[in-house]
Amino acid sequence: MKKVYIETYGCQMNVADTEVVFSLLGKEGYVRTEDMAEADVILANTCSVRDNAEQRIHGRIEQFQYWRRKRPGVLVGILGCMAERMGESLLETGKVDIVAGPDAYRSLPHLLAAASQGHPQIDVLLSREETYGDIAPVRVDTNGVSAFISIMRGCNNVCSYCVVPYTRGAERSRDAHSIVREACDCAQRGYKEITLLGQNVDSYRWEELDFAGLLALVAESVPALRIRFSTSNPQDISDAVLETMASHANICRHIHLPVQSGSDRMLEKMRRRYTREGYLERVAKIRALMPDCAITTDVIAGFCSETEEDHRDTLTLFEEVGFDAAFMFQYSERPGTLAARKYPDDVPPEVKTRRLEEIIALQNRLSLESNRRDLGKTFRVLVEGPSKRNPAELCGRTGQNKMCVWPDTVHKAGDLVDVVVKDCTQATLLCELFPIFVG
Ligand code: SAH
Ligand code: SF4
Ligand code: F3S
């Protein structure tokens, strides 16, 4: 039996895809290993979203050469977005045996068989139909508590900075029956939480069903599970989705709503189809319907021609919204994107870095303030396992996706427990078990 080792980079969609790849290869008799040293096939499922993500993979490819030399016959393959973006040029390095894009995983067994005869193989065809809807993923997470379910692939937006539409192709939604079946299967296997995944979940459409409809269907099919979803686009998240969340207790009170910039001029140049005011309106609507809903975001510092004033608009927007958490990046020009073709990458690196640091410093304060607002409150948390720092403590997340730790030697991963927030850091709520009085 051949052993396959996969490293996964990038977003949650890649994690879900790796699980599909394990399933597809499993059917052909490959078994999974977590030890590269014993692998017959070494795969990296890669990300192209920023240059540093790709640089890391180039470094890994160098390291994989050690095993190719040491154990002749070992095959090295590049999957995912970087495979799609770089294609042939990866093969030309002579350092990889297989290049397979995100829609080509069904051909992996064939590619591996041909490559093992000494002929490097490539398949980077994008598809308009492929959703891997019929493939039951082999879950690779270790805690057995939380699972990803991919509901759509690709992206039809053309945000000018973004490489994803080029690496993942056109948007397509997965058959709702197969999504519900997978959710029910997760429940049966003991999972307690599922996350519905897509680059733009709000544009889900399958026959008459939109995302609000799908969300309700899934929430009602697996009432004992917690439901999360990601990512929502501010221009598409509908009142119907918010109302569905508000009316289903098992849908977590958390929306990841990437804003990218607080400046209308930047938003237009980024080809985001909302304004600062439109974004703030969505935030107000979320809070009106669900006052306890966490809102998190993504932001890019130093996009083409960004001025100090544009940057200040981002800072004031962060302040106004008071995000609970954020992923913060410096702009990285991606070859082939609209921005790379049309706009010079003209904000000097040190200015990008300084602006990013200012956003991070502000968000650190906002995260701490958000956590302080939770002091004294009680939350139901899903136990993930022992806390990393202290084995006598457990950790788990609130519906708002905040990490909690508390002393506990009774419960275990997968339990739902009530905790009271006693203290906090910027990253964690420090809690105690909700006291239960007997007698
Ligand atoms: N589909 C999601 C985003 C996917 S990419 C959405 O529309 O929100 C994840 C994040 O990476 C983006 O939200 C953005 O903040 C960041 N990102 C994308 N392209 C980037 C680039 N060229 N440089 C820096 N950050 C980028
Ligand atoms: Fe990229 Fe925009 Fe699509 Fe998100 S919505 S994946 S940022 S093009
Ligand atoms: Fe990266 Fe591809 Fe995801 S570029 S962020 S792995 S869709």
Side-chain angles (χ1 to χ4, degrees):
M1 270 198 287
K2 297 232 173 202
K3 294 194 173 123
V4 56
Y5 167 90
I6 310 185
E7 277 180 9
T8 307
Y9 297 84
C11 62
Q12 296 167 333
M13 314 260 342
N14 261 12
V15 176
D17 280 2
T18 291
E19 298 178 339
V20 165
V21 171
F22 275 123
S23 175
L24 287 164
L25 291 179
K27 285 187 197 145
E28 302 294 320
Y30 288 88
V31 294
R32 177 182 168 216
T33 174
E34 288 178 77
D35 181 5
M36 190 165 25
E38 61 166 27
D40 302 292
V41 178
I42 298 174
L43 301 174
N45 193 1
T46 62
C47 175
S48 282
V49 81
R50 283 169 291 276
D51 184 58
N52 56 13
E54 289 199 350
Q55 292 314 321
R56 228 168 122 198
I57 306 297
H58 286 300
R60 285 308 280 160
I61 292 174
E62 293 307 322
Q63 286 157 355
F64 296 156
Q65 301 314 304
Y66 172 81
W67 296 108
R68 267 172 116 221
R69 283 191 298 267
K70 185 158 183 195
R71 303 180 59 218
V74 166
L75 296 176
V76 168
I78 301 301
L79 314 181
C81 291
M82 199 173 153
E84 191 63 46
R85 197 186 78 70
M86 299 194 56
E88 285 287 347
S89 68
L90 281 170
L91 278 193
E92 282 160 11
T93 62
K95 292 177 179 165
V96 308
D97 304 288
I98 283 167
V99 175
D103 288 343
Y105 299 148
R106 283 182 206 269
S107 52
L108 272 175
H110 159 76
L111 298 175
L112 285 167
S116 66
Q117 305 299 311
H119 311 295
Q121 298 291 313
I122 178 166
D123 186 346
V124 288
L125 279 181
L126 287 171
S127 158
R128 296 197 154 265
E129 288 90 34
E130 182 62 89
T131 61
Y132 302 111
D134 58 318
I135 308 294
V138 175
R139 309 275 170 208
V140 295
D141 63 300
T142 44
N143 69 3
V145 172
S146 190
F148 292 136
I149 299 184
S150 169
I151 64 164
M152 60 196 299
R153 300 181 73 80
C155 180
N156 278 358
N157 290 318
V158 267
C159 304
S160 62
Y161 51 82
C162 183
V163 78
V164 171
Y166 305 91
T167 63
R168 294 253 160 190
E171 206 163 272
R172 60 224 105 114
S173 297
R174 177 175 169 190
D175 179 334
H177 299 301
S178 78
I179 297 171
V180 169
R181 223 178 295 129
E182 195 173 323
C184 294
D185 183 60
C186 286
Q188 266 169 12
R189 286 167 192 258
Y191 284 90
K192 297 292 159 47
E193 178 177 88
I194 54 177
T195 304
L196 306 180
L197 290 181
Q199 287 300 351
N200 205 0
V201 289
D202 298 285
S203 37
Y204 178 86
R205 182 111 210 150
W206 189 76
E207 296 185 346
E208 292 309 301
L209 204 65
D210 63 6
F211 183 59
L214 178 75
L215 198 53
L217 188 65
V218 171
E220 287 156 25
S221 305
V222 286
L225 261 57
R226 280 184 172 196
I227 319 290
R228 298 184 183 278
F229 57 89
S230 186
T231 302
S232 301
N233 197 310
Q235 73 212 13
D236 298 316
I237 189 164
S238 64
D239 287 354
V241 167
L242 302 181
E243 282 153 13
T244 303
M245 287 179 77
S247 61
H248 291 79
N250 62 330
I251 304 178
C252 287
R253 296 293 185 256
H254 171 216
I255 299 179
H256 186 59
L257 200 64
V259 70
Q260 314 301 0
S261 171
S263 150
D264 281 340
R265 194 177 73 83
M266 286 294 103
L267 288 172
E268 194 179 337
K269 218 167 174 172
M270 289 172 162
R271 294 226 172 174
R272 300 289 282 183
R273 289 182 286 118
Y274 53 88
T275 58
R276 176 189 178 100
E277 198 187 308
Y279 187 89
L280 291 171
E281 184 278 326
R282 289 287 79 190
V283 169
K285 184 81 192 200
I286 293 166
R287 294 205 167 132
L289 282 170
M290 295 170 284
D292 60 341
C293 188
I295 301 177
T296 58
T297 203
D298 293 348
V299 68
I300 299 175
F303 185 59
C304 312
S305 85
E306 187 188 69
T307 62
E308 287 305 317
E309 194 186 337
D310 294 318
H311 169 58
R312 274 196 300 277
D313 285 345
T314 295
L315 295 174
T316 58
L317 180 111
F318 266 59
E319 195 83 66
E320 236 172 281
V321 176
F323 290 113
D324 297 282
F327 295 109
M328 299 160 277
F329 312 104
Q330 295 189 33
Y331 173 58
S332 164
E333 186 178 86
R334 308 312 296 130
T337 57
L338 193 73
R341 283 178 276 140
K342 261 180 91 172
Y343 310 125
D345 179 12
D346 54 2
V347 177
E350 62 280 8
V351 175
K352 284 183 184 170
T353 306
R354 194 253 305 149
R355 288 181 188 165
L356 178 63
E357 280 167 0
E358 286 175 12
I359 300 173
I360 292 172
L362 170 57
Q363 183 54 47
N364 286 346
R365 171 165 67 74
L366 295 174
S367 298
L368 183 61
E369 285 173 11
S370 161
N371 284 351
R372 285 206 177 125
R373 287 194 291 275
D374 288 339
L375 292 178
K377 291 187 192 162
T378 302
F379 290 97
R380 180 149 295 182
V381 299
L382 177 59
V383 181
E384 289 180 8
S387 105
K388 285 192 192 79
R389 296 230 178 104
N390 181 348
E393 293 193 334
L394 291 178
C395 70
R397 282 172 199 278
T398 67
Q400 289 78 358
N401 210 33
K402 286 189 182 179
M403 183 54 91
C404 299
V405 296
W406 67 97
D408 189 336
T409 49
V410 179
H411 296 97
K412 58 181 191 317
D415 289 347
L416 282 167
V417 302
D418 289 336
V419 298
V420 187
V421 183
K422 294 291 179 181
D423 198 357
C424 67
T425 67
Q426 150 206 321
T428 314
L429 300 177
L430 311 172
C431 308
E432 284 176 4
L433 277 173
F434 187 78
I436 300 169
F437 300 105
V438 185

